[in-house]
Amino acid sequence: MRAPAHDLLFTPLQIGPKTAKNRFYQVPHCNGGGYRDPSAVVEMRRTKAEGGWGVIFTEQTEIHPTSEITPFIEQHLWDDRDIPALARMAEAMKSHGALAGIQLAYSGINGPNLYSREVPLAVTGGPILTFTSDPVQARTMDLDDIRNLRRWFRNAFRRSQRAGFDLVCLYGAHGFGILQHFLSRATNHRTDAYGGSLENRARFLREVVEDFREETRGEMALTLRLSLHEAGALGFSNAELRDFIAMHADLPDLWDLAQGTWEDCSGTSRFTPEAAQEDLVRGIKALTSKPVVGVGRFTSPDEMVRQIRSGVLDFIGAARPSIADPFLPVKVQEGRYEDIRECIGCNICVSGDMTQGISRCTQNTAFMEEWRKGWHPERARIKGAAEHVLVVGAGPAGLEAALQAAKRGYRVTLAEAGATLGGRVSRERALPGLSAWGRVADYRIGQLQPMAHVQIYRDSALTAEDLLTLDAQHIAIATGARWRPDAVARLHLAPIPTDPAMPVYTPDDLMAGSGPSGQRVALYDDDHFYMGSVLAELLVARGCSVDFITPAAKVAEWAENTLEQARIMRRLLEIGVTIHMSKAPEAVGAREITLGCCWTGQTSTLPAEALVYVTARRPTDALYHAAAALDWQGAGIRSLQRIGDCAAPGPIAWATYAGRAWAEGLDAPDTGLPGDVLPFRREIAALLDAPRLTP
Ligand code: ADP
Ligand code: SF4
């Protein structure tokens, strides 16, 4: 039964001419699929509808080719041909009574137009402001351009309505949308009626809202997504935002407030706690009669109720919590709190957008595979012919494999060598800032434990011979990986000369509690994600002075994709870590390291009492190879596979995905030609007529 206090989350609330059935509001979020993978995005949104969200939004939808953010893949609404895919999305969103919203964006000074090749138009011209420093400038819009842009917005409103959406969100947050560029003195240096005073800077927005009301005949609702605080002396600050809302209290039908930059708004759990925006939002509701939505990686229903009861928010905005668990509202509604799959705040989902891959989620392995592979975040397909499966190793891969196989109806044996379940996350959760990562194990263990057809054995290091005696028809070896104790990774492909007198440690050593304390330590990071910087923090906490060496020109450069790179750099500098960029060890002496410059080859000497390598990992695959050498088919075993880090080490999300993929593939028809059939569905662009070239 649900706690009576949570009833509040299920009270309907009006947004202009529409009514949301509850307070669960999926704010716009990207997914790395966008216009390239229309049906994959549609089915992903449909799971949110099924999971009970009251409001569901698209990702950023670009309204005109004079403003697009290639290489990032969002949605397009450039002409009528974009309507059918978006109409399918609106239909999916509304399939269980949610309101369907579309976020419309014109990126102005943020859109380099690398695909459309149109000249970017901005409130005030200048270099395009992206973190990739594209060598492109925008020109300042004249009054004709502004009139045109109003018409382009009108076209987008009309097309959104034709596609069947209930709500339009105007994007003016994160530094990405032109509405913010008008409002902010940092990006608006105009001296005409659209610049100068706040009244003038808000003029374009007022005009567009008026156009919206007229174009949609008052039938659609309008939400305004604005930044809560833009940093910098000229930035659209929290104080100015409050002035703006006081002046325009009833302009939109709802205020959707998002923290400063995307990095601020989507902070990882390492740097940003749940409900981090509260101070910036509190009090805004008193300035307006319209509902307010804000985000904060909310996963606790008690916290959600507190936000509403204390008058901070009306709707609980969520992107990542809705990705990790599309069924969060239904689970709260039914009082199934223990089934909530909480977001761990790792931002692997964001990395899918940043890398133009397709997003994945560490916790929800079905995310963006709903249409491509027919996976569902809650339901599993019925099991095949086999009865009993064995999973060896209870890390993220093994736990997910066991859970998904059990959900399919197989009898599952899960054997773990150690006393603790969770594999790498049982160790990494103890590192500075990573405690939320333990949710990967906690959720899965919590689901597996009550299942009568699942047997979990701890302290059970299996041998290859053991595998043949357990009467399982399918076996997954998920025995993980160990960090290498040498420099071999990307830069060095072979070990470097090393004096054995130098104490050398790996991340596994440090996580096991050994390694240096109170010494001068060199840490070499050729991994480039989070582990190097987290261990630097750990070493500083142990009283070490740390020299952080990276062959890259940035620390933790892959963490750019999880929006953490700048935070990591700041943290390391703040705690006094000395950073050596574009450097790598060439030789290791007893008390010093020879560093080479990656550009010039010039060498220098760095004194060190210990060396920590964060380089590459080796699969722990001896058990797999030993078993593969036995006559396992003769013992009645139909498949023997290694999965997760044991197959190929990667981030935790890769391991949970591998566990799911194994369980989904059990008893699949044997084509006899492995890999000849594409393992997922995709959509291919329809061809138009060949061009006629004019002579
Ligand atoms: P992944 O990320 O692929 O899930 P982990 O390294 O997190 O991999 O987890 C692997 C788990 O497998 C660890 O908990 C480890 O103790 C366990 N393990 C390793 N070898 C054996 C074995 N022979 N029998 C049972 N469990 C094993
Ligand atoms: Fe949360 Fe990580 Fe999933 Fe993103 S990938 S929704 S941050 S658990």
Side-chain angles (χ1 to χ4, degrees):
M1 281 294 289
R2 117 171 142 238
H6 300 161
D7 290 353
L8 181 60
L9 299 170
F10 298 92
T11 48
L13 192 63
Q14 228 179 314
I15 309 175
K18 306 286 178 180
T19 302
K21 65 176 180 179
N22 62 33
R23 307 304 181 89
F24 291 89
Y25 189 111
Q26 183 243 273
V27 293
H29 70 73
C30 59
N31 47 71
Y35 63 80
R36 186 193 58 202
D37 299 292
S39 291
V41 185
V42 166
E43 294 313 307
M44 177 270 285
R45 302 283 181 209
R46 194 187 300 281
T47 63
K48 316 267 191 132
E50 208 191 330
W53 294 82
V55 178
I56 306 172
F57 266 93
T58 64
E59 60 272 50
Q60 162 166 354
T61 302
E62 298 172 343
I63 64 164
H64 198 265
T66 52
S67 191
E68 49 93 8
I69 60 166
T70 301
F72 306 103
I73 304 176
E74 313 299 325
Q75 295 290 342
H76 290 158
L77 191 46
W78 289 353
D79 62 24
D80 289 352
R81 296 181 65 223
D82 291 313
I83 294 177
L86 288 164
R88 203 190 272 194
M89 183 115 73
E91 176 276 316
M93 290 168 169
K94 294 195 288 193
S95 60
H96 290 75
L99 295 178
I102 181 167
Q103 183 185 44
L104 300 181
Y106 191 88
S107 303
I109 200 72
N110 187 246
N113 296 354
L114 302 177
Y115 175 77
S116 71
R117 299 183 177 173
E118 297 290 328
V119 171
L121 303 176
V123 177
T124 297
I128 294 296
L129 301 177
T130 53
F131 74 97
T132 39
S133 305
D134 300 296
V136 177
Q137 294 208 183
R139 82 166 162 76
T140 303
M141 288 195 290
D142 59 27
L143 293 181
D144 280 341
D145 295 320
I146 291 182
R147 265 189 294 278
N148 288 337
L149 181 53
R150 283 180 60 181
R151 198 180 58 260
W152 299 336
F153 266 109
R154 265 184 185 266
N155 293 342
F157 298 149
R158 194 173 56 254
R159 291 180 177 128
S160 301
Q161 193 165 28
R162 275 181 54 198
F165 289 98
D166 301 300
L167 283 69
V168 158
C169 167
L170 291 177
Y171 197 19
H174 301 143
F176 294 162
I178 198 155
L179 300 160
Q180 182 181 3
H181 306 156
F182 268 105
L183 288 172
S184 166
R185 285 174 299 139
T187 43
N188 182 347
H189 304 162
R190 301 179 74 96
T191 52
D192 61 7
Y194 291 95
S197 65
L198 181 56
E199 169 86 19
N200 275 0
R201 282 179 277 133
R203 184 178 309 280
F204 180 75
L205 184 44
R206 286 194 302 272
E207 290 173 346
V208 170
V209 173
E210 214 176 288
D211 294 342
F212 171 83
R213 303 281 183 213
E214 199 180 287
E215 193 63 46
T216 62
R217 302 174 301 280
E219 292 162 12
M220 292 181 84
L222 184 91
T223 77
L224 197 48
R225 185 154 227 225
L226 295 181
S227 273
L228 276 164
H229 180 71
E230 188 186 20
L234 295 175
F236 192 60
S237 65
N238 193 246
E240 222 179 354
L241 171 78
R242 286 169 194 254
D243 290 346
F244 170 79
I245 294 179
M247 283 164 70
H248 302 91
D250 294 338
L251 187 68
D253 297 310
L254 172 144
W255 297 98
D256 175 353
L257 303 171
Q259 206 169 327
T261 60
W262 192 18
E263 287 84 342
D264 292 330
C265 191
S266 294
T268 54
S269 54
R270 181 174 170 194
F271 296 102
T272 312
E274 187 172 339
Q277 300 186 358
E278 186 169 342
D279 289 347
L280 290 170
V281 190
R282 195 183 301 110
I284 288 184
K285 254 183 66 57
L287 304 174
T288 170
S289 64
K290 304 293 178 179
V292 172
V293 60
V295 293
R297 232 176 46 248
F298 296 114
T299 55
S300 145
D302 289 338
E303 179 59 29
M304 296 175 194
V305 167
R306 191 185 69 76
Q307 293 279 331
I308 296 176
R309 225 181 257 301
S310 62
V312 179
L313 300 175
D314 295 291
F315 284 100
I316 301 303
R320 290 170 293 170
S322 79
I323 292 172
D325 196 342
F327 280 63
L328 177 63
V330 156
K331 289 175 183 175
V332 177
Q333 188 167 22
E334 295 173 357
R336 289 165 46 213
Y337 304 109
E338 67 288 353
D339 291 340
I340 296 174
R341 195 168 45 236
E342 289 182 288
C343 168
I344 68 164
C346 62
N347 279 4
I348 284 295
C349 48
V350 173
S351 78
D353 191 60
M354 298 290 279
T355 56
Q356 305 97 52
I358 196 158
S359 288
R360 56 168 104 208
C361 171
T362 305
Q363 283 285 63
N364 173 12
T365 47
F367 182 59
M368 293 307 284
E369 299 293 5
E370 303 87 349
W371 180 83
R372 296 208 313 169
K373 295 204 171 92
W375 296 1
H376 189 273
E378 297 301 308
R379 290 191 296 276
R381 70 188 80 219
I382 306 278
K383 77 178 214 13
E387 290 301 327
H388 178 210
V389 303
L390 168 67
V391 178
V392 187
L399 286 170
E400 177 74 359
L403 176 59
Q404 296 297 339
K407 284 173 81 167
R408 288 193 61 187
Y410 292 98
R411 185 158 69 80
V412 176
T413 300
L414 174 61
E416 162 57 46
T420 314
L421 305 179
R424 63 183 289 185
V425 295
S426 65
R427 298 185 291 274
E428 292 185 27
R429 72 187 305 172
L431 291 172
L434 301 188
S435 62
W437 295 26
R439 293 173 175 183
V440 173
D442 296 345
Y443 165 73
R444 290 170 176 80
I445 296 166
Q447 295 290 298
L448 283 165
Q449 255 157 358
M451 291 180 168
H453 59 306
V454 175
Q455 297 290 320
I456 302 177
Y457 296 95
R458 293 173 170 81
D459 298 313
S460 302
L462 299 189
T463 64
E465 288 71 24
D466 293 336
L467 303 186
L468 270 50
T469 62
L470 288 170
D471 189 31
Q473 285 98 54
H474 297 287
I475 300 178
I477 310 278
T479 45
R482 305 286 293 174
W483 287 90
R484 293 183 67 114
D486 59 24
V488 177
R490 294 175 167 82
L491 185 83
H492 290 302
L493 300 178
I496 57 174
T498 301
D499 187 323
M502 169 66 82
V504 169
Y505 300 97
T506 70
D508 293 314
D509 298 328
L510 269 60
M511 285 189 277
S514 61
S517 67
Q519 289 174 299
R520 180 160 187 183
V521 181
L523 185 153
Y524 174 55
D525 180 18
D526 197 13
D527 171 60
H528 307 282
F529 196 14
Y530 59 90
M531 185 56 82
S533 61
V534 169
L535 292 184
E537 283 189 55
L538 179 76
L539 289 165
V540 168
R542 287 187 188 176
C544 297
S545 93
V546 179
D547 288 285
F548 188 101
I549 305 156
T550 173
K554 278 181 174 167
V555 300
E557 66 178 357
W558 203 82
E560 197 96 69
N561 296 314
T562 53
L563 309 177
E564 293 172 293
Q565 193 278 331
R567 304 288 280 267
I568 291 173
M569 183 71 184
R570 201 184 320 151
R571 171 73 54 87
L572 293 189
L573 291 174
E574 281 169 359
I575 61 173
V577 170
T578 306
I579 296 169
H580 306 264
M581 286 183 285
S582 304
K583 297 262 168 51
E586 297 298 330
V588 178
R591 302 276 297 173
E592 89 241 334
I593 294 165
T594 307
L595 288 186
C597 168
C598 296
W599 308 118
T600 63
Q602 218 169 17
T603 58
S604 54
T605 303
L606 182 72
E609 294 166 289
L611 173 61
V612 175
Y613 279 123
V614 184
T615 49
R617 288 184 293 155
R618 283 195 183 109
T620 310
D621 54 6
L623 176 65
Y624 169 78
H625 288 296
L630 301 177
D631 178 19
W632 51 271
Q633 291 99 331
I637 295 164
R638 296 180 200 170
S639 74
L640 172 73
Q641 284 183 51
R642 59 196 143 158
I643 62 168
D645 290 337
C646 172
I652 298 165
W654 273 242
T656 52
Y657 172 84
R660 175 83 185 236
W662 175 80
E664 291 279 347
L666 289 172
D667 293 322
D670 184 3
T671 62
L673 299 167
D676 283 18
V677 179
L678 194 69
F680 55 88
R681 297 203 289 168
R682 65 185 169 137
E683 279 158 328
I684 295 179
L687 297 180
L688 298 180
D689 292 343
R692 261 181 240 285
L693 297 180
T694 40

